[in-house]
Amino acid sequence: MSLSPASANPPAGSARPASAILSIDTSVGTAVSIVESDGVVLSVAASPNPLGHAEVIGGLLVRALAEASLTAAGIAHVAAGMGPGPFTGLRVGIAAARTFAQGRGVPVVPVVSHDAIALEVFLADALTDAETPRFAVVTDARRREFAYSVYDGIDDDGLPIRSAGPELIARDALDERLAALGARRHDAAAVPAAMLGLAASRALGAGRTIGPDDALYLRSPDVTVSAGPKRVTP
């Protein structure tokens, strides 16, 4: 699999100046999107499979660029979903985002993946003029745990206000925790890459950093550095 910008170029080039945001998330499934700097969504490509991120991300990247009628030269920023998510899957998307950005010489914009889900909830409610009470985005962290983040509205820059999390919690303890926090539960089986790009666009417009530089694994990887060879007694 090649993730270099050159290999991602569709046959038809684009004369547009570089202004679009490529967003990539592999915290829950695999999702790629291209959004203009003003928030207009140009393309979305996704796989709901929680596994196989490395196998599908290259094809999704090519598809997103082709559907947006862009070459890699049209990308000005790369938004990376920083989790929370399982170690193996999450690192694939972050590595892809960083590799693409490095090849293009453009900045990476880190975004908490739960923020993209929350932004979708707020925008959906806004379309119906419905008020959005305090809620928690909940995603499957595997190993009988959930990851959750609590949200309390949208700020003046149009970005979700996260008041708690992301945190890990045992599955059978989640509902009690959310009841104590006064937050309704919103389970998500996918991260909308378009909302990741929109959050990045709004953060860039406000001159803000809204995500961490490091991945939000929340749990240490299984593989650890060896302490050295074991001593064998003859």
Side-chain angles (χ1 to χ4, degrees):
M1 176 189 67
S2 173
L3 291 172
S4 65
S7 67
N9 291 345
S14 172
R16 301 179 196 174
S19 63
I21 300 169
L22 168 67
S23 53
I24 299 173
D25 190 279
T26 55
S27 62
V28 183
T30 306
V32 176
S33 181
I34 297 177
V35 177
E36 284 282 19
S37 57
D38 60 2
V40 174
V41 179
L42 300 179
S43 66
V44 176
S47 168
N49 188 346
L51 305 174
H53 308 281
E55 289 80 3
V56 302
I57 194 167
L60 294 178
L61 178 59
V62 170
R63 195 170 100 201
L65 285 166
E67 290 181 2
S69 299
L70 284 177
T71 66
I75 302 300
H77 296 85
V78 180
M82 304 303 287
F87 178 83
T88 303
L90 186 56
R91 65 178 178 170
V92 171
I94 295 173
R98 289 173 173 169
T99 299
F100 191 102
Q102 184 176 25
R104 272 286 295 124
V106 299
V108 172
V109 183
V111 180
V112 175
S113 301
H114 280 185
D115 288 1
I117 300 169
L119 184 57
E120 185 176 57
V121 172
F122 285 119
L123 293 182
D125 285 349
L127 289 175
T128 60
D129 294 324
E131 290 189 11
T132 307
R134 169 181 272 205
F135 69 95
V137 168
V138 178
T139 53
D140 187 0
R142 302 179 193 168
R143 300 188 185 177
R144 302 185 62 80
E145 290 182 312
F146 286 121
Y148 75 93
S149 300
V150 178
Y151 293 89
D152 287 295
I154 289 275
D155 63 23
D156 291 341
D157 296 320
L159 291 163
I161 300 170
R162 184 167 13 93
S163 57
E167 294 182 20
L168 277 181
I169 190 168
R171 292 189 180 189
D172 57 4
L174 175 64
D175 289 336
E176 183 178 354
R177 175 71 61 83
L178 296 187
L181 292 170
R184 67 178 175 87
R185 177 171 170 170
H186 178 84
D187 288 272
V191 174
M195 294 297 102
L196 196 81
L198 179 57
S201 171
R202 292 180 174 184
L204 288 166
R208 292 171 53 185
T209 299
I210 59 172
D213 290 331
D214 296 323
L216 294 168
Y217 296 127
L218 301 186
R219 181 195 296 128
S220 299
D222 292 331
V223 179
T224 58
V225 178
S226 172
K230 294 181 179 180
R231 296 183 62 181
V232 177
T233 303

